[in-house]
Short mmCIF file of all heavy atoms in Angstrom, two decimals:
data_model
loop_
_atom_site.label_atom_id
_atom_site.label_comp_id
_atom_site.label_asym_id
_atom_site.label_seq_id
_atom_site.Cartn_x
_atom_site.Cartn_y
_atom_site.Cartn_z
N HIS A 7 -68.02 -109.58 -56.43
CA HIS A 7 -68.62 -108.30 -56.83
C HIS A 7 -68.51 -108.13 -58.32
O HIS A 7 -67.58 -108.64 -58.94
CB HIS A 7 -67.94 -107.13 -56.10
CG HIS A 7 -68.21 -107.13 -54.64
ND1 HIS A 7 -69.41 -106.72 -54.12
CD2 HIS A 7 -67.46 -107.50 -53.58
CE1 HIS A 7 -69.39 -106.84 -52.82
NE2 HIS A 7 -68.22 -107.33 -52.46
N ILE A 8 -69.43 -107.39 -58.90
CA ILE A 8 -69.42 -107.18 -60.34
C ILE A 8 -68.97 -105.76 -60.65
O ILE A 8 -68.94 -104.89 -59.79
CB ILE A 8 -70.81 -107.41 -60.95
CG1 ILE A 8 -71.80 -106.40 -60.38
CG2 ILE A 8 -71.28 -108.81 -60.71
CD1 ILE A 8 -72.95 -106.16 -61.28
N PRO A 10 -69.59 -102.18 -61.68
CA PRO A 10 -70.79 -101.34 -61.66
C PRO A 10 -71.28 -100.95 -63.04
O PRO A 10 -72.47 -100.73 -63.23
CB PRO A 10 -70.36 -100.11 -60.86
CG PRO A 10 -69.21 -100.58 -60.04
CD PRO A 10 -68.53 -101.63 -60.86
N ALA A 13 -73.91 -103.24 -64.23
CA ALA A 13 -75.22 -103.05 -63.61
C ALA A 13 -75.95 -101.84 -64.20
O ALA A 13 -77.15 -101.71 -64.02
CB ALA A 13 -75.07 -102.88 -62.11
N PHE A 41 -89.13 -105.13 -51.30
CA PHE A 41 -88.18 -105.89 -52.14
C PHE A 41 -87.56 -107.03 -51.34
O PHE A 41 -87.51 -108.17 -51.79
CB PHE A 41 -87.09 -104.97 -52.69
CG PHE A 41 -86.03 -105.73 -53.42
CD1 PHE A 41 -86.19 -106.05 -54.76
CD2 PHE A 41 -84.88 -106.16 -52.77
CE1 PHE A 41 -85.23 -106.79 -55.44
CE2 PHE A 41 -83.92 -106.90 -53.44
CZ PHE A 41 -84.09 -107.22 -54.78
N PRO A 104 -80.71 -95.23 -51.80
CA PRO A 104 -79.57 -96.15 -51.71
C PRO A 104 -79.36 -96.71 -50.30
O PRO A 104 -79.16 -97.91 -50.12
CB PRO A 104 -78.39 -95.30 -52.17
CG PRO A 104 -79.00 -94.28 -53.07
CD PRO A 104 -80.32 -93.96 -52.45
N PHE A 107 -82.28 -99.12 -49.32
CA PHE A 107 -82.19 -100.41 -50.02
C PHE A 107 -81.10 -101.27 -49.40
O PHE A 107 -81.34 -102.45 -49.07
CB PHE A 107 -81.91 -100.16 -51.50
CG PHE A 107 -81.85 -101.42 -52.33
CD1 PHE A 107 -82.83 -102.39 -52.24
CD2 PHE A 107 -80.83 -101.61 -53.23
CE1 PHE A 107 -82.78 -103.53 -53.03
CE2 PHE A 107 -80.77 -102.75 -54.02
CZ PHE A 107 -81.75 -103.71 -53.92
N LEU A 108 -79.92 -100.72 -49.21
CA LEU A 108 -78.82 -101.48 -48.62
C LEU A 108 -79.20 -102.00 -47.23
O LEU A 108 -79.00 -103.15 -46.90
CB LEU A 108 -77.54 -100.64 -48.56
CG LEU A 108 -76.29 -101.37 -48.07
CD1 LEU A 108 -75.96 -102.57 -48.94
CD2 LEU A 108 -75.12 -100.41 -48.02
N SER A 109 -79.80 -101.14 -46.43
CA SER A 109 -80.22 -101.52 -45.08
C SER A 109 -81.23 -102.67 -45.09
O SER A 109 -81.11 -103.64 -44.34
CB SER A 109 -80.80 -100.32 -44.35
OG SER A 109 -81.30 -100.69 -43.09
N VAL A 111 -81.79 -104.91 -47.49
CA VAL A 111 -81.21 -106.14 -48.04
C VAL A 111 -80.23 -106.76 -47.04
O VAL A 111 -80.15 -107.98 -46.93
CB VAL A 111 -80.55 -105.86 -49.41
CG1 VAL A 111 -79.75 -107.05 -49.88
CG2 VAL A 111 -81.60 -105.49 -50.43
N GLN A 112 -79.51 -105.93 -46.30
CA GLN A 112 -78.55 -106.46 -45.33
C GLN A 112 -79.24 -107.26 -44.22
O GLN A 112 -78.59 -108.07 -43.57
CB GLN A 112 -77.71 -105.34 -44.74
CG GLN A 112 -76.65 -104.84 -45.69
CD GLN A 112 -75.86 -103.69 -45.13
OE1 GLN A 112 -76.37 -102.86 -44.38
NE2 GLN A 112 -74.59 -103.61 -45.51
N ILE A 117 -74.14 -108.59 -47.19
CA ILE A 117 -73.48 -107.86 -48.27
C ILE A 117 -73.00 -106.53 -47.73
O ILE A 117 -73.48 -106.03 -46.73
CB ILE A 117 -74.42 -107.63 -49.47
CG1 ILE A 117 -75.61 -106.78 -49.07
CG2 ILE A 117 -74.88 -108.96 -50.05
CD1 ILE A 117 -76.43 -106.30 -50.24
N LYS A 118 -72.02 -105.95 -48.44
CA LYS A 118 -71.46 -104.67 -48.01
C LYS A 118 -71.81 -103.55 -48.95
O LYS A 118 -71.81 -102.39 -48.56
CB LYS A 118 -69.95 -104.80 -47.87
CG LYS A 118 -69.54 -105.71 -46.74
CD LYS A 118 -68.06 -105.76 -46.57
CE LYS A 118 -67.72 -106.73 -45.45
NZ LYS A 118 -66.31 -106.82 -45.21
N LYS A 119 -72.06 -103.88 -50.23
CA LYS A 119 -72.39 -102.82 -51.18
C LYS A 119 -73.24 -103.40 -52.31
O LYS A 119 -73.34 -104.61 -52.48
CB LYS A 119 -71.11 -102.18 -51.74
CG LYS A 119 -70.27 -103.09 -52.60
CD LYS A 119 -69.08 -102.36 -53.14
CE LYS A 119 -68.32 -103.25 -54.12
NZ LYS A 119 -67.28 -102.54 -54.81
N ILE A 120 -73.84 -102.49 -53.03
CA ILE A 120 -74.68 -102.84 -54.18
C ILE A 120 -74.19 -102.00 -55.35
O ILE A 120 -73.93 -100.81 -55.16
CB ILE A 120 -76.16 -102.54 -53.86
CG1 ILE A 120 -76.61 -103.47 -52.74
CG2 ILE A 120 -77.02 -102.72 -55.08
CD1 ILE A 120 -77.99 -103.16 -52.21
N PRO A 121 -74.02 -102.53 -56.54
CA PRO A 121 -74.44 -103.85 -57.00
C PRO A 121 -73.47 -104.94 -56.54
O PRO A 121 -72.30 -104.69 -56.28
CB PRO A 121 -74.43 -103.71 -58.51
CG PRO A 121 -73.38 -102.69 -58.79
CD PRO A 121 -73.45 -101.73 -57.63
N THR A 122 -74.01 -106.14 -56.51
CA THR A 122 -73.23 -107.31 -56.17
C THR A 122 -73.90 -108.54 -56.76
O THR A 122 -75.04 -108.47 -57.21
CB THR A 122 -73.07 -107.45 -54.64
OG1 THR A 122 -72.08 -108.41 -54.35
CG2 THR A 122 -74.38 -107.84 -53.97
N LEU A 132 -77.82 -110.98 -60.00
CA LEU A 132 -77.33 -109.62 -59.82
C LEU A 132 -78.31 -108.91 -58.89
O LEU A 132 -79.52 -108.90 -59.17
CB LEU A 132 -77.26 -108.88 -61.15
CG LEU A 132 -76.98 -107.37 -61.07
CD1 LEU A 132 -75.59 -107.12 -60.49
CD2 LEU A 132 -77.11 -106.75 -62.45
N LEU A 133 -77.83 -108.36 -57.82
CA LEU A 133 -78.61 -107.56 -56.91
C LEU A 133 -78.18 -106.11 -57.15
O LEU A 133 -77.02 -105.76 -56.98
CB LEU A 133 -78.31 -107.97 -55.46
CG LEU A 133 -79.01 -107.21 -54.35
CD1 LEU A 133 -80.51 -107.43 -54.42
CD2 LEU A 133 -78.48 -107.70 -53.00
N ALA A 134 -79.12 -105.29 -57.64
CA ALA A 134 -78.74 -103.94 -58.08
C ALA A 134 -79.82 -102.92 -57.75
O ALA A 134 -80.96 -103.27 -57.46
CB ALA A 134 -78.48 -103.95 -59.59
N HIS A 135 -79.42 -101.67 -57.84
CA HIS A 135 -80.31 -100.53 -57.62
C HIS A 135 -80.12 -99.61 -58.82
O HIS A 135 -79.05 -99.05 -59.01
CB HIS A 135 -79.92 -99.83 -56.31
CG HIS A 135 -80.73 -98.60 -56.03
ND1 HIS A 135 -80.31 -97.65 -55.14
CD2 HIS A 135 -81.91 -98.17 -56.51
CE1 HIS A 135 -81.21 -96.69 -55.07
NE2 HIS A 135 -82.17 -96.98 -55.91
N ASP A 136 -81.16 -99.46 -59.61
CA ASP A 136 -81.13 -98.59 -60.78
C ASP A 136 -81.90 -97.33 -60.46
O ASP A 136 -83.07 -97.39 -60.09
CB ASP A 136 -81.75 -99.32 -61.97
CG ASP A 136 -81.62 -98.55 -63.28
OD1 ASP A 136 -81.27 -97.35 -63.24
OD2 ASP A 136 -81.89 -99.15 -64.33
N PHE A 143 -85.29 -101.45 -57.39
CA PHE A 143 -84.53 -102.42 -56.62
C PHE A 143 -84.69 -103.74 -57.37
O PHE A 143 -85.81 -104.23 -57.53
CB PHE A 143 -85.05 -102.52 -55.20
CG PHE A 143 -85.15 -101.18 -54.50
CD1 PHE A 143 -86.31 -100.83 -53.83
CD2 PHE A 143 -84.10 -100.28 -54.51
CE1 PHE A 143 -86.41 -99.61 -53.17
CE2 PHE A 143 -84.19 -99.05 -53.86
CZ PHE A 143 -85.35 -98.72 -53.19
N VAL A 144 -83.59 -104.33 -57.82
CA VAL A 144 -83.64 -105.40 -58.81
C VAL A 144 -82.86 -106.64 -58.38
O VAL A 144 -81.75 -106.53 -57.86
CB VAL A 144 -83.07 -104.91 -60.17
CG1 VAL A 144 -83.16 -105.99 -61.23
CG2 VAL A 144 -83.79 -103.65 -60.63
#
Side-chain angles (χ1 to χ4, degrees):
H7 292 285
I8 63 156
F41 174 85
F107 182 48
L108 185 59
S109 176
V111 171
Q112 284 177 328
I117 63 169
K118 293 183 181 180
K119 67 178 186 172
I120 296 173
T122 193
L132 170 64
L133 178 64
H135 177 198
D136 186 347
F143 308 132
V144 182

